[in-house]
Amino acid sequence: LIHFIKRSEMLVLLSFLVIFSSSVIDAAPVLFIIQTQPGTFHQGLAQTTRSNILKQWSMVAKSMEPPEIILTTELGEQSDFAWTYFPFIPDIAQKLEDDPKLDYVGILRETTDLNLGALGQYVQSSLGKINPKEESLFYGKGLKDEEPTIVHDFHQNTEEETIMYPDPEAGIFLSRHLVLELNKVLPVHKDFSIDPEYQLAEILLKELGVKLTHVANLCSKSPKASESCITQPRIKDYKCLKSKEVKATLDLLNSLEVYVSTVQKFHQTRVTKILETYADLLPQAQYISDIEEEISPGIKTKVLPYTVNTENGHCNKTRTMIDSFIESGKPWLLILDDDTVLSPARLAQLLSCYDGTEEPIILGQRYGYSVTEGKGYNYVTGGGGKIINRMAAIELTTLQDGCGCPKADTPEDMHIFGICARKAGIPITHSHRMFQARPPDYPFSMISPRKPISFHKHWEIDPVEVYYQWFKRADDYLRDGKNEIPTSKDEL
């Protein structure tokens, strides 16, 4: 376990803590924020991370009070938007003002384990070289775009301005001075929040002239034997069905009501790619189109009653899908685009972590509209897949207005899975493994350790090649009835 501290690391940590301690019982010099989500499953993950830190602290820091560790779900009104960082900065800045001994803020994900011994080693190596009370310090595992990407508004890195941003799975550390300076330039207005770590790095660079300092020991995957990671994510925590549980995985997949949204002009160019890749693992999938047509032997498209097909924004069509799902009696609905590339096996392994009978769940890749100022709403962007359980579907459709569409072509992700969800009090559950864009739109070193579940778009890529590269190996154990084929550390 990452929270196991070697003897050498423990001695370093003790000396690190003694340096910061000026009395018998002193305050911890760091405040931790754990970014988590509502719901039994996610709260359990965050509590494990909190407990791991406190257990280590109790082992070596008996002369110092344990650090304050705040879950973002404990932040009251700002908790829904804390994933974008900016909404909770004023509260954190106030805590720093109230406690002058706090030098750093560490921001961890709900499954990011922290090795206090390794952290102590890093801090001791920096003593005398930096002053967190007077310097704006921004630490993380650095990522950067090799080419312009739609995810970052096609920003072009240059020699004069390259935006390096942190991988949140490896943790982010901010100095006291930086937090207080950032608070002075708030609020930050962004219409859309897509990649909050990139937006954070962009604001710090453009408003305060602060660049990210890359720390190699902040890890986004399991370290090699020779490495001593300060942090590393517990990616297996999001896999609640083991690879040997073939029957249980197939049973879960068979319990899904699956709709693939398409139109005639894409039947032969897009839907056929699904049939070449993952369709055999979702044989119950219905291809919802604007015309009934046989695409291949035994595979026909379907037109749902009262559906209005539109070029853009598919609110009416999606709302009709939800009605059809409720009538099906099934527990889960999965809506895919006809250009979504998916691993059904990995989806089932994630979905098994949730009890769909206890709480309403809307799951997918979360975006936000006007959320950096602590208002607006979160929503599930559709390309990587949208998942909703029966309880959530019923709550949406029983709103006073029935979650009716303003227009047939209103964007369905923002209206149904955003505005209506907020009205119904249903939180948007984010999966950092479901992606709205293509693999080349993200740094390889970021997406590979996460074991992606889905990608979106066929533009300038071969979706069959994407499936074979990223997903086929993960899915084949379901086809073979065998355990998932083990991969080397360098493979996907």
Side-chain angles (χ1 to χ4, degrees):
L1 293 175
I2 190 70
H3 62 263
F4 176 78
I5 304 178
K6 299 176 184 176
R7 177 177 174 80
S8 60
E9 291 175 341
M10 187 179 296
L11 293 174
V12 171
L13 179 59
L14 282 168
S15 62
F16 155 63
L17 294 172
V18 167
I19 290 171
F20 280 102
S21 181
S22 59
S23 59
V24 177
I25 300 294
D26 208 345
V30 60
L31 167 69
F32 289 106
I33 307 295
I34 298 178
Q35 289 182 308
T36 186
Q37 306 185 72
T40 304
F41 171 60
H42 292 280
Q43 289 296 293
L45 297 177
Q47 292 295 350
T48 296
T49 300
R50 174 188 263 167
S51 296
N52 285 349
I53 296 172
L54 294 177
K55 185 182 294 185
Q56 292 178 72
W57 203 274
S58 67
M59 290 168 56
V60 297
K62 296 177 181 178
S63 63
M64 183 175 286
E65 292 181 358
E68 184 176 6
I69 304 174
I70 303 172
L71 308 189
T72 52
T73 47
E74 299 168 347
L75 292 173
E77 293 181 358
Q78 303 305 320
S79 62
D80 281 353
F81 311 125
W83 62 280
T84 65
Y85 301 95
F86 301 112
F88 68 70
I89 291 298
D91 287 346
I92 302 308
Q94 186 59 55
K95 285 184 176 291
L96 297 182
E97 294 281 11
D98 294 341
D99 187 351
K101 293 180 180 177
L102 282 173
D103 286 330
Y104 291 97
V105 175
I107 305 172
L108 307 175
R109 285 290 172 92
E110 61 190 12
T111 57
T112 303
D113 269 330
L114 175 70
N115 185 328
L116 281 175
L119 177 62
Q121 286 184 322
Y122 184 84
V123 172
Q124 189 184 56
S125 69
S126 303
L127 289 175
K129 302 176 184 177
I130 57 175
N131 186 343
K133 287 183 168 60
E134 296 182 4
E135 296 178 59
S136 289
L137 307 171
F138 179 27
Y139 297 114
K141 174 183 168 56
L143 304 168
K144 63 180 180 179
D145 300 329
E146 297 302 324
E147 58 185 48
T149 168
I150 189 173
V151 178
H152 298 149
D153 297 325
F154 297 103
H155 172 80
Q156 176 70 61
N157 284 328
T158 63
E159 290 185 6
E160 292 75 26
E161 182 184 89
T162 295
I163 298 178
M164 185 163 62
Y165 53 99
D167 185 338
E169 306 305 312
I172 300 169
F173 290 84
L174 311 175
S175 68
R176 174 192 184 87
H177 187 266
L178 177 57
V179 174
L180 296 178
E181 290 299 299
L182 175 58
N183 192 44
K184 294 176 183 177
V185 302
L186 297 181
V188 169
H189 175 74
K190 293 284 185 180
D191 286 338
F192 290 93
S193 291
I194 295 175
D195 183 341
E197 290 71 40
Y198 181 87
Q199 289 182 332
L200 176 65
E202 181 182 41
I203 291 298
L204 291 178
L205 179 62
K206 293 185 176 181
E207 296 292 333
L208 300 177
V210 176
K211 295 182 178 180
L212 178 74
T213 297
H214 170 69
V215 179
N217 286 11
L218 296 175
C219 302
S220 59
K221 61 181 180 180
S222 298
K224 298 178 181 178
S226 60
E227 293 179 324
S228 182
C229 286
I230 298 170
T231 58
Q232 79 170 70
R234 305 186 306 271
I235 185 62
K236 290 183 179 179
D237 282 10
Y238 294 107
K239 181 179 178 180
C240 298
L241 274 174
K242 296 179 180 178
S243 298
K244 64 182 180 182
E245 298 179 273
V246 174
K247 183 180 184 303
T249 304
L250 290 173
D251 286 347
L252 194 154
L253 289 174
N254 289 334
S255 75
L256 304 178
E257 183 81 346
V258 182
Y259 297 143
V260 178
S261 181
T262 187
V263 291
Q264 185 182 26
K265 65 180 179 179
F266 295 134
H267 288 177
Q268 295 303 319
T269 55
R270 293 184 180 180
V271 176
T272 53
K273 300 302 181 183
I274 295 177
L275 301 180
E276 290 179 48
T277 52
Y278 60 87
D280 61 314
L281 296 178
L282 295 171
Q284 78 277 30
Q286 300 178 56
Y287 300 88
I288 309 302
S289 187
D290 55 348
I291 188 172
E292 292 186 359
E293 180 179 67
E294 186 172 58
I295 303 175
S296 70
I299 305 293
K300 289 185 177 181
T301 58
K302 180 178 180 180
V303 178
L304 292 178
Y306 312 113
T307 298
V308 179
N309 285 277
T310 55
E311 281 288 328
N312 300 298
H314 310 293
C315 191
N316 170 271
K317 189 173 185 177
T318 304
R319 182 63 182 78
T320 305
M321 290 179 184
I322 293 175
D323 285 338
S324 181
F325 160 59
I326 292 174
E327 293 173 3
S328 75
K330 291 194 173 182
W332 294 97
L333 169 62
L334 168 64
I335 300 176
L336 302 171
D337 285 0
D338 54 11
D339 55 352
T340 301
V341 188
L342 175 76
S343 167
R346 286 181 177 168
L347 175 64
Q349 290 162 355
L350 172 64
L351 203 54
S352 65
C353 298
Y354 300 92
D355 184 342
T357 64
E358 288 191 348
E359 51 199 359
I361 297 171
I362 297 176
L363 171 67
Q365 186 178 23
R366 175 187 54 205
Y367 281 7
Y369 179 73
S370 194
V371 297
T372 56
E373 297 175 82
K375 55 186 181 181
Y377 56 89
N378 301 321
Y379 64 96
V380 169
T381 184
K386 300 185 285 281
I387 303 163
I388 181 171
N389 70 345
R390 172 163 296 278
M391 186 179 296
I394 291 172
E395 291 192 14
L396 289 179
T397 56
T398 55
L399 286 168
Q400 187 174 4
D401 62 0
C403 189
C405 298
K407 296 187 297 183
D409 62 352
T410 295
E412 83 287 354
D413 49 2
M414 298 180 71
H415 182 71
I416 297 174
F417 299 98
I419 294 172
C420 290
R422 187 153 179 80
K423 286 180 182 178
I426 303 172
I428 299 303
T429 302
H430 172 68
S431 172
H432 64 307
R433 301 168 62 199
M434 301 174 74
F435 294 97
Q436 170 70 9
R438 311 161 306 152
D441 292 315
Y442 306 95
F444 179 87
S445 63
M446 180 189 81
I447 59 177
S448 180
R450 297 186 186 185
K451 305 296 182 186
I453 290 171
S454 61
F455 293 110
H456 180 228
K457 295 292 186 188
H458 294 177
W459 181 62
E460 292 190 345
I461 61 168
D462 181 344
V464 177
E465 287 185 6
V466 169
Y467 178 80
Y468 271 70
Q469 179 186 6
W470 289 92
F471 300 140
K472 186 176 185 297
R473 197 178 184 96
D475 285 345
D476 273 350
Y477 80 102
L478 295 179
R479 299 183 174 105
D480 301 337
K482 301 176 182 179
N483 291 353
E484 185 170 3
I485 302 169
T487 58
S488 72
K489 289 184 179 180
D490 296 327
E491 290 180 317
L492 299 175

